[in-house]
Amino acid sequence: MKFGIIRERKNPPDKRVVLSPKACQKVLKSHKRAELIVEPSPIRAYSDDMYTQLGITVADEMTDCDVLIGVKEVPIDALIPNKKYFFFSHTIKKQPYNRDLLQAVLEKNIELYDHEVITNKQEQRVVAFGRYAGIVGAYNGFRAYGLKYGLFKLPKANDLDDQEALIAELKKLRLPSIKILLTGKGRVGNGAREMLDGMGMRRLNVAEYLEGTFNEPVYCQIDAGEYNKRKDGARGNKADFFANPSEYKSNFFRFAKVTDFYIAGHFYGQGSPYLFTREDAKHPEFKIRVVADVSCDIDGPVATTIRPSTIAEPIYGYDPISETETDYQKTTAIAVMAVDNLPCELPRDASEGFGEAFIKNVIPAFFNNDKDGVLQRARMTQNGKLTERFTYLQDYVDGKE
């Protein structure tokens, strides 16, 4: 089986790669029947020389490979027909901007495996960049806080080497006695928590956070069961919420009344209540003035996120009264950090973590007859058609929805 590590061609440039030089070495050592070719790239976080120094072939020979592995969407004109491809296609939610990509994949008889749907037998995702989105998102949130209030100027995350360097910068800060709220306890939320814990910040339970007054910066991490409640007043729980989201309403405002800085690291499911609305943000008791929206659902559950921001320009202001964008340093403005490709700012850390999971969960499936069904579950297209699991996308492909 010959694997090709393709060059990222999407703009803005993405420096990440699924397999770092050491990860490639590990694959070749563990699987004697595996071959690897790395396509040359001027932007990758690891130079071509770093691969060749470890004996990995770097060459423009992707047409000779059986499986082509990338991170972001491959431009249509760069797709090689009749190959197996792994990348984030951003089509599984029927994203209109990538309809033509999925159409081209089918026309070119490509077998597409989307990283987002690589799961174990319990249908849990096994390869993801979420932890690194949380790490960088929390850091960028503190950077936004410092700039909004003119308190400090943190360097940009992508000018630092790794997570350790980010935490070292955060530890230098002298923060006022603010309250920080973090939603989500998955990869993203826990990645953000690593940063807060790395700073040595005190963590509170819900009651302490809502009722207490402190002379130091503190934080609270909450999950769906704490920021939603059943409409009928019955006692709910997280499992029930995910099974019946329409039977719940938001219970977030009690946190908004005491929170200065909010980090959104939750998963938002279709049909779930919004955490806070534009009307909530207008309320005189709504205290949040800095939002780091790592989840970044536009015009969605976090009402202040009206557009994604960029690594180059990560912060914008939201005016809650006019519901429009404004200067984030204005007193009345809520500063919003909503970069939608955060792991790109920590490309080596993100690549290494993702690669470890890919080597553990995906590569073996090519050599063990896919005994755990990893490839079968993630295969979106085959023989020019959508596979059974993904037939729900047919009307989207046909342009009917």
Side-chain angles (χ1 to χ4, degrees):
M1 182 65 67
K2 191 180 278 190
F3 299 94
I5 307 302
I6 57 178
R7 175 160 66 91
E8 295 300 316
R9 291 173 165 85
K10 193 179 176 187
N11 268 322
D14 194 317
K15 296 180 180 179
R16 291 173 296 171
V17 64
V18 173
L19 297 177
S20 68
K22 284 184 179 174
C24 287
Q25 230 184 11
K26 196 171 177 181
V27 169
L28 296 175
K29 193 175 176 183
S30 307
H31 303 280
K32 300 302 178 193
R33 289 181 293 142
E35 290 181 62
L36 266 166
I37 300 178
V38 176
E39 188 175 16
S41 168
I43 59 160
R44 198 178 281 134
Y46 305 93
S47 68
D48 296 343
D49 284 349
M50 292 173 83
Y51 285 93
T52 53
Q53 283 166 13
L54 293 185
I56 312 299
T57 304
V58 176
D60 281 304
E61 294 174 11
M62 295 299 101
T63 50
D64 295 342
C65 298
D66 306 298
V67 181
L68 300 173
I69 303 169
V71 178
K72 287 284 187 74
E73 300 100 309
V74 177
I76 290 169
D77 59 3
L79 288 168
I80 303 170
N82 309 311
K83 296 290 181 188
K84 293 178 171 70
Y85 270 94
F86 281 81
F87 57 82
F88 286 104
S89 71
H90 298 119
T91 57
I92 62 167
K93 294 177 185 172
K94 305 181 183 180
Q95 291 95 321
Y97 57 88
N98 276 337
R99 188 197 319 269
D100 55 352
L101 173 61
L102 190 51
Q103 287 169 340
V105 162
L106 292 163
E107 285 162 17
K108 292 173 186 276
N109 190 36
I110 285 166
E111 234 176 75
L112 174 61
Y113 299 81
D114 192 307
H115 294 306
E116 203 168 340
V117 292
I118 299 173
T119 59
N120 59 20
K121 287 177 180 176
Q122 290 75 43
E123 302 281 346
Q124 297 162 325
R125 282 183 68 182
V126 289
V127 291
F129 285 107
R131 175 182 167 225
Y132 300 94
I135 287 167
V136 178
Y139 178 87
N140 281 2
F142 281 106
R143 187 169 177 271
Y145 188 90
L147 291 170
K148 174 167 173 63
Y149 293 107
L151 292 174
F152 49 81
K153 285 187 177 180
L154 284 169
K156 282 195 166 186
N158 62 349
D159 291 334
L160 298 169
D161 287 341
D162 51 25
Q163 182 189 12
E164 204 175 303
L166 300 187
I167 291 173
E169 289 294 332
L170 293 178
K171 282 173 124 173
K172 297 174 188 174
L173 302 181
R174 288 191 171 184
L175 290 164
S177 52
I178 55 173
K179 283 185 173 180
I180 300 168
L181 182 70
L182 168 61
T183 50
K185 292 186 177 178
R187 286 188 180 91
V188 175
N190 288 338
R193 192 182 85 193
E194 286 178 38
M195 304 302 282
L196 300 168
D197 290 344
M199 294 168 73
M201 193 173 291
R202 184 174 167 193
R203 184 181 176 193
L204 307 177
N205 63 35
V206 170
E208 289 170 332
Y209 186 84
L210 292 174
E211 296 158 23
T213 306
F214 303 89
N215 296 319
E216 60 182 313
V218 294
Y219 85 94
C220 181
Q221 183 183 22
I222 59 173
D223 214 349
E226 288 145 328
Y227 57 79
N228 291 296
K229 62 180 179 181
R230 283 191 63 91
K231 291 174 182 174
D232 61 9
R235 188 179 177 85
N237 59 53
K238 191 176 169 183
D240 181 51
F241 168 72
F242 283 121
N244 309 290
S246 61
E247 293 177 22
Y248 282 74
K249 62 182 179 179
S250 174
N251 195 23
F252 183 87
F253 196 79
R254 60 189 180 138
F255 294 98
K257 291 197 288 188
V258 299
T259 297
D260 302 285
F261 166 24
Y262 168 43
I263 304 169
H266 56 270
F267 170 77
Y268 177 72
Q270 211 61 41
S272 303
Y274 283 3
L275 279 83
F276 67 86
T277 64
R278 293 187 179 195
E279 288 308 308
D280 290 334
K282 286 183 172 76
H283 198 285
E285 288 186 279
F286 188 89
K287 196 184 178 196
I288 298 168
R289 279 296 169 268
V290 177
V291 174
D293 190 354
V294 187
S295 299
C296 198
D297 293 297
I298 309 306
D299 282 326
V302 176
T304 45
T305 304
I306 51 177
R307 68 168 175 87
S309 55
T310 63
I311 291 170
E313 298 288 338
I315 311 160
Y316 60 86
Y318 174 80
D319 182 333
I321 304 305
S322 65
E323 301 181 7
T324 56
E325 193 170 323
T326 187
D327 177 355
Y328 70 85
Q329 289 183 314
K330 280 186 179 175
T331 310
T332 54
I334 296 169
V336 179
M337 189 294 302
V339 175
D340 60 359
N341 57 341
L342 287 162
C344 298
E345 297 199 61
L346 217 56
R348 287 199 182 179
D349 276 15
S351 297
E352 282 166 24
F354 194 89
E356 280 173 24
F358 199 84
I359 290 170
K360 180 184 174 186
N361 297 289
V362 183
I363 298 288
F366 285 99
F367 302 99
N368 66 15
N369 244 357
D370 193 25
K371 67 181 178 71
D372 297 319
V374 172
L375 301 178
Q376 184 192 344
R377 285 188 295 274
R379 188 186 295 118
M380 290 181 64
T381 62
Q382 192 174 33
N383 302 323
K385 294 177 181 176
L386 292 164
T387 57
E388 192 177 338
R389 281 172 77 92
F390 296 94
T391 50
Y392 74 90
L393 293 171
Q394 192 62 58
D395 283 349
Y396 161 68
V397 169
D398 295 339
K400 293 176 184 175
E401 58 174 66

